[in-house]
Amino acid sequence: MLSSPLRMIPIVLLLLFLAATAFADAHLALDSASCLQCHDDTVSVEEMASSVHGQNSCNSCHVEVTDLDEHMAGEIEIQQVKCVRCHKKEAAEHYASIHMLNDVGCADCHSQIHSATYWQNDKRKVVETCAQCHDVEENYLNSVHGRAVMSGNGDSAACNDCHNLHEIKALGDPNSFENRDFHTKVCLTCHANEEMMARNSVFNVAVGTYMESYHGKNYHLGFPEKVAGCADCHSSHSVLPKSDPNSSVNDSNLVATCSQCHEGATSLFTRYYSHGEHSDRDNYPILYWTFLGMTSLLVGTFAVFWIHTLLWMFRGFVENRERVRALHDGGIAHAIPEGNKQYLRFKPRHVVLHLTVIISFLGLSLTGLPLKFADEQWAKILMSFYGGTYNAGLIHRACAILTFYYFFGALVLSIDFLFLRKDIKGNFLQRLFGPDSLCPNFRDLRDITGMIKWFLFKGPKPTFERWTYWEKFDFLAVFWGMFAIGGSGLMLWFPEFFGYFLPGWTFNVATIVHSDEALLATGFIFTVHFFNTHGRPEKFPMDFVIFNGQISKEEFIEERGDQWRRYEEEGITEKFVAPRVSGVLYDFVFKGFGFLAFFTGIACLIMMLFAFFSGSH
């Protein structure tokens, strides 16, 4: 049954082969020599043979010409050649280009199509092609890029390196994200290649120093439209050496260049080190020593206080276990009478001032850290959450205003304490170095010595006066921080104003100081201060005194026994009894706020540690 159909298969295959052969004979590629008998006036035989299309027949492109007799009789209408038949990738790129939108087709650039040879990555051919429509004589050809390209340097940037060969995008709105991104992205392609830069003896830290600047960090975070890019300072097509009088970065032209963004820029302002490298001691000694000094301050402060914290953490744990054992064994005979009675440690104005400190500090940290660690993914997420670096900057400056508010508030309270209050004995100096003052004195040296002995199990834990040495350090850090962070922050906030009387390199110094001092402040607050205040074993998980201003009699005597004894000797202890205990709703709201602030700080600390341990800093 099946043998008959199977015998038919070879016959069917033979018929299909003969049909295909006949079809091919009717549409064979034409002999180009036959075409050139008539078209030798427009097409050179030699040039066509040696061109990139030399191996193709004429009707590989002119596909409608299938019969010479019909063609010669004028019976075949010649259509426009469709290059897409072979060049699909290039055609797709061209279709999405500005050339397509302006009816610039393949033949407009590849005009000598019958003699076209492979460009062999010779960028001079690209420039010559673009020059057919674009005037490149005045700008590009006289630039460092143009001169290098025309001399045969394949590393130098030609038209296609920035604009591509076929997928040429419209620049559009000069202030758009795409346009502003383009101004820098295309430059990074080559200038981030250190091997290429070294090969051509080009300044090879331009990308690194730009990315470390405020401009570069904004670009890295995804907001190039908010800052200056490479082309804004160096121009796009007229990039010239700094020594060239026509260069946009020549000393004589810098005021005009900087004034494009910084209206009112002065010659002093232009002395800013655009690509200053703080590790380059020979060329930028001021930046080098500033960075070294700030780094030493940061490392030294952390080393001392982290060791202090670790020793206290362990000794406090041991003390707690000893107390539990003593209670179990009956070693502690009796509790302090009325031990839970509440006394006032802070007044409402102190509580409000500290709340202001918390809000402003966390606001500054949450908006400043993403800029400091701009190459981290979490930094980009935070900036997007704020709605961009511009909004983050507004929040940062608003919190800075709060910082100035509480700083001047502290100054007013200090003046009131030293000169105006009637309830404190002594003259100015006696008040300044007295027991109620936050100014360090010789007693602090004794307290520090006593704490170290206690850490090392060499003596009892000291009792303190109204202020401990670490609390005084925190208070004085506000004054140092205001001059370091606040002063440098004002300079960076109003560079045009300060540029009237300060040289531009002071902004480089201000950037280093602001960045490193802010890192010191955040790292210190979120580790040392959090531990001293809330994390030490006897206070964990939170010391609520700064939120309601109240402390129990037991805590008062245990922690600040010397202050309690002084108050007893003066007979004023009852003056500080709290008129009432803080309410349930008050405690609920402010404890909630306190824990939120605490965990926000811990989250910032984790992000900072991740940035360091990930190797990006």
Side-chain angles (χ1 to χ4, degrees):
M1 295 289 296
L2 294 175
S3 60
S4 180
L6 287 175
R7 283 197 299 269
M8 294 297 295
I9 290 176
I11 299 173
V12 171
L13 291 175
L14 178 61
L15 292 174
L16 288 173
F17 174 76
L18 294 173
T21 304
F23 180 81
D25 286 339
H27 295 84
L28 284 174
L30 297 178
D31 182 4
S32 297
S34 301
C35 299
L36 291 174
Q37 291 178 9
C38 295
H39 297 288
D40 60 349
D41 57 332
T42 57
V43 181
S44 165
V45 176
E46 292 78 11
E47 290 179 350
M48 180 63 187
S50 61
S51 73
V52 292
H53 297 122
Q55 298 301 312
N56 298 345
S57 65
C58 297
N59 67 333
S60 295
C61 297
H62 302 285
V63 294
E64 63 276 5
V65 181
T66 57
D67 186 288
L68 278 179
D69 293 332
E70 293 180 4
H71 171 54
M72 295 175 68
E75 297 175 2
I76 297 176
E77 182 179 357
I78 304 300
Q79 305 291 329
Q80 185 176 5
V81 172
K82 292 181 173 57
C83 304
V84 66
R85 293 180 65 251
C86 298
H87 303 283
K88 291 179 174 59
K89 176 179 177 294
E90 291 80 3
E93 292 173 350
H94 174 259
Y95 191 79
S97 73
I98 188 65
H99 279 170
M100 181 69 177
L101 295 176
N102 286 278
D103 295 326
V104 178
C106 306
D108 292 304
C109 295
H110 305 283
S111 54
Q112 302 298 321
I113 196 66
H114 296 104
S115 57
T117 55
Y118 181 62
W119 69 302
Q120 295 180 329
N121 294 322
D122 185 349
K123 295 181 179 180
R124 288 173 291 191
K125 293 185 177 182
V126 177
V127 174
E128 290 168 359
T129 299
C130 298
Q132 295 174 161
C133 299
H134 300 281
D135 183 8
V136 299
E137 294 289 340
E138 184 178 353
N139 296 317
Y140 174 76
L141 290 181
N142 290 321
S143 72
V144 291
H145 294 141
R147 292 172 184 172
V149 166
M150 299 315 287
S151 68
N153 186 340
D155 285 339
S156 188
C159 310
N160 61 300
D161 290 298
C162 300
H163 300 282
N164 299 320
L165 282 173
H166 299 99
E167 193 176 1
I168 302 170
K169 299 293 186 182
L171 293 181
D173 180 2
N175 297 316
S176 67
F177 170 87
E178 291 76 13
N179 189 298
R180 304 301 303 152
D181 183 53
F182 177 82
H183 268 58
T184 298
K185 181 172 65 176
V186 293
C187 302
L188 299 183
T189 304
C190 295
H191 286 274
N193 186 330
E194 294 186 9
E195 182 181 344
M196 180 189 291
M197 294 301 101
R199 185 165 63 240
N200 291 277
S201 301
V202 176
F203 183 66
N204 64 356
V205 295
V207 174
T209 52
Y210 174 76
M211 286 302 182
E212 285 297 315
S213 71
Y214 177 76
H215 296 149
K217 288 177 181 291
N218 271 263
Y219 173 83
H220 204 83
L221 287 166
F223 301 94
E225 69 275 17
K226 302 300 180 184
V227 290
C230 305
D232 293 298
C233 299
H234 296 279
S235 79
S236 300
H237 299 106
S238 302
V239 181
L240 297 168
K242 181 179 174 65
S243 58
D244 192 309
N246 295 316
S247 171
S248 59
V249 294
N250 182 269
D251 290 342
S252 60
N253 299 322
L254 277 178
V255 171
T257 299
C258 296
S259 294
Q260 295 176 105
C261 300
H262 297 279
E263 189 174 346
T266 64
S267 57
L268 273 176
F269 180 92
T270 64
R271 291 168 65 182
Y272 172 75
Y273 299 144
S274 300
H275 291 286
E277 194 175 19
H278 58 69
S279 61
D280 188 345
R281 179 179 175 179
D282 295 330
N283 294 312
Y284 304 102
I286 294 175
L287 305 189
Y288 174 83
W289 290 111
T290 300
F291 181 77
L292 183 63
M294 291 303 303
T295 302
S296 300
L297 175 66
L298 190 148
V299 172
T301 302
F302 281 143
V304 170
F305 280 95
W306 283 351
I307 291 173
H308 182 277
T309 296
L310 290 172
L311 290 173
W312 192 349
M313 185 184 299
F314 178 73
R315 188 64 180 89
F317 175 79
V318 171
E319 182 185 61
N320 275 9
R321 301 310 302 164
E322 289 174 343
R323 178 174 296 182
V324 171
R325 185 180 299 111
L327 286 170
H328 175 75
D329 297 338
I332 298 179
H334 61 276
I336 296 173
E338 297 183 305
N340 291 320
K341 190 175 182 179
Q342 297 296 304
Y343 286 78
L344 293 177
R345 174 158 169 74
F346 297 115
K347 295 181 178 180
R349 61 173 176 263
H350 300 130
V351 174
V352 171
L353 205 62
H354 194 265
L355 288 174
T356 307
V357 173
I358 294 173
I359 294 169
S360 64
F361 190 85
L362 289 179
L364 291 168
S365 300
L366 288 169
T367 53
L369 287 175
L371 199 63
K372 170 72 175 177
F373 302 103
D375 50 350
E376 293 294 325
Q377 187 60 37
W378 57 259
K380 296 179 176 68
I381 293 172
L382 277 178
M383 280 301 181
S384 296
F385 174 76
Y386 303 140
T389 53
Y390 177 77
N391 291 342
L394 292 179
I395 298 171
H396 197 80
R397 293 176 178 94
C399 292
I401 293 172
L402 281 181
T403 302
F404 283 108
Y405 160 75
Y406 76 68
F407 172 70
F408 285 112
L411 287 179
V412 170
L413 291 177
S414 299
I415 294 170
D416 178 56
F417 171 81
L418 292 172
F419 301 105
L420 303 178
R421 284 177 59 177
K422 303 300 183 183
D423 58 331
I424 300 177
K425 299 177 183 179
N427 58 33
F428 162 73
L429 288 176
Q430 289 171 324
R431 293 185 179 193
L432 181 63
F433 296 105
D436 289 307
S437 173
L438 276 160
C439 181
N441 53 38
F442 289 115
R443 180 202 164 91
D444 297 313
L445 296 177
R446 189 179 71 207
D447 289 343
I448 293 171
T449 303
M451 282 292 280
I452 293 174
K453 287 182 177 179
W454 178 67
F455 290 157
L456 302 176
F457 300 89
K458 299 294 185 181
K461 184 179 182 180
T463 58
F464 298 96
E465 250 292 351
R466 176 162 173 73
W467 304 108
T468 64
Y469 61 86
W470 63 84
E471 289 169 338
K472 292 181 179 182
F473 184 88
D474 288 349
F475 180 74
L476 293 178
V478 171
F479 288 84
W480 158 249
M482 281 308 300
F483 287 105
I485 301 181
S488 59
L490 283 174
M491 288 179 62
L492 299 174
W493 189 353
F494 303 105
E496 295 86 358
F497 170 75
F498 286 96
Y500 276 111
F501 53 87
L502 291 176
W505 54 261
T506 58
F507 299 118
N508 297 91
V509 173
T511 300
I512 296 173
V513 171
H514 195 76
S515 176
D516 285 5
E517 180 62 24
L519 183 63
L520 174 59
T522 51
F524 186 90
I525 292 296
F526 298 147
T527 56
V528 178
H529 179 73
F530 273 12
F531 174 81
N532 291 347
T533 307
H534 308 298
R536 51 194 167 113
E538 59 268 36
K539 289 295 183 183
F540 185 83
M542 178 170 288
D543 186 357
F544 195 59
V545 64
I546 196 58
F547 295 107
N548 67 359
Q550 298 176 6
I551 184 173
S552 71
K553 181 180 178 180
E554 183 178 359
E555 286 182 287
F556 204 151
I557 293 173
E558 284 189 0
E559 293 188 5
R560 304 175 196 277
D562 290 352
Q563 182 188 6
W564 178 264
R565 283 188 289 272
R566 177 166 61 88
Y567 280 9
E568 280 190 322
E569 291 170 2
E570 296 176 4
I572 60 174
T573 53
E574 294 307 302
K575 288 176 58 177
F576 294 93
V577 174
R580 62 181 180 276
V581 178
S582 56
V584 174
L585 180 61
Y586 181 95
D587 286 4
F588 177 80
V589 171
F590 281 94
K591 278 193 175 181
F593 172 80
F595 278 113
L596 176 63
F598 178 80
F599 286 114
T600 300
I602 295 299
C604 289
L605 177 63
I606 292 172
M607 291 188 293
M608 292 164 62
L609 292 173
F610 180 82
F612 278 107
F613 287 114
S614 65
S616 59
H617 285 79

